[in-house]
Amino acid sequence: GIPEGIRALKMDLADAKSVEESLSSFAPDVVINLAAMSAPLACEKNKDEAAAINVPSALLSSMLKTCPDALLIHVSTDQIFDGDTPVYSEGHTPAPVNQYGATKLRFEQEVRNAWANHLILRSSLIYGAPPPRECARAGSFLQFLDGALGDPAKDAAPLDLFADEVRCPVFVEDVVALLLAAARGGGSALGGGA
């Protein structure tokens, strides 16, 4: 469940009025943007929808009106990089190769330019139990692998995968713990914040 003192809101990030109404209902101290259209192929096929979800400019304008001192924690992706260097640091130059990475990078840049009190967390493959409710997306790559490889009794056909990709999977509960520590510490718990 959601920890005490934490409030989750559902809003249409493409609709400034929806965002402003949601935020003004309680003027938060911390806003964590978890929204993403994260399936690269879907982003390529629906570029406008990907931009509307992954570059929620209305969030920034609404926060300016309703909670101008709030900490904004934006969850981004390692896909802002091109994959040529397997391990990245904050100093690496972003070079997205797909629409998903490009849109997430665009919002990172908007956040940096418009919001002083921010923290950007770039995740990779987040794994864990399937979500407790319906998601628009059928499941993650790691959940697919778990299903395909997890039952040795299955007489499954061999899987041909890739050998040229290096990723750093992270457990969903570890991401949640980091987000909560950052929110409770005003970003300073992770070295971020204003």
Side-chain angles (χ1 to χ4, degrees):
I2 297 174
E4 188 174 322
I6 305 291
R7 186 169 172 192
L9 296 177
K10 184 177 180 178
M11 62 183 85
D12 180 355
L13 289 173
D15 178 0
K17 184 177 179 187
S18 167
V19 176
E20 194 171 328
E21 285 174 359
S22 294
L23 292 176
S24 65
S25 70
F26 71 107
D29 296 319
V30 179
V31 174
I32 303 174
N33 176 30
L34 299 168
M37 182 175 181
S38 60
L41 184 58
C43 291
E44 296 299 329
K45 289 181 177 178
N46 305 292
K47 291 182 179 184
D48 290 341
E49 183 182 2
I53 294 168
N54 294 340
V55 188
S57 302
L59 177 63
L60 293 175
S61 60
S62 297
M63 285 180 67
L64 190 59
K65 293 176 185 175
T66 59
C67 52
D69 298 320
L71 169 63
L72 172 59
I73 302 173
H74 172 60
V75 178
S76 190
T77 178
D78 63 346
Q79 291 191 42
I80 67 161
F81 299 113
D82 58 16
D84 287 342
T85 307
V87 179
Y88 292 95
S89 71
E90 291 179 31
H92 277 89
T93 302
V97 295
N98 59 38
Q99 188 68 15
Y100 173 55
T103 55
K104 293 300 273 187
L105 176 60
R106 206 162 91 214
F107 194 62
E108 279 191 25
Q109 293 165 336
E110 283 190 26
V111 168
R112 278 194 192 89
N113 292 333
W115 207 260
N117 191 16
H118 72 271
L119 179 66
I120 296 170
L121 172 66
R122 292 181 186 141
S123 67
S124 187
L125 292 171
I126 299 174
Y127 69 94
R133 58 186 172 277
E134 284 293 316
C135 287
R137 198 165 146 200
S140 76
F141 175 71
L142 290 174
Q143 289 166 338
F144 158 76
L145 276 182
D146 184 48
L149 303 174
D151 186 356
K154 280 185 182 177
D155 189 20
L159 284 176
D160 289 325
L161 299 173
F162 41 80
D164 62 345
E165 184 173 339
V166 177
R167 301 290 296 273
C168 298
V170 60
F171 187 49
V172 67
E173 290 183 21
D174 292 336
V175 174
V176 170
L178 282 170
L179 291 170
L180 288 173
R184 290 181 176 137
S188 61
L190 303 177

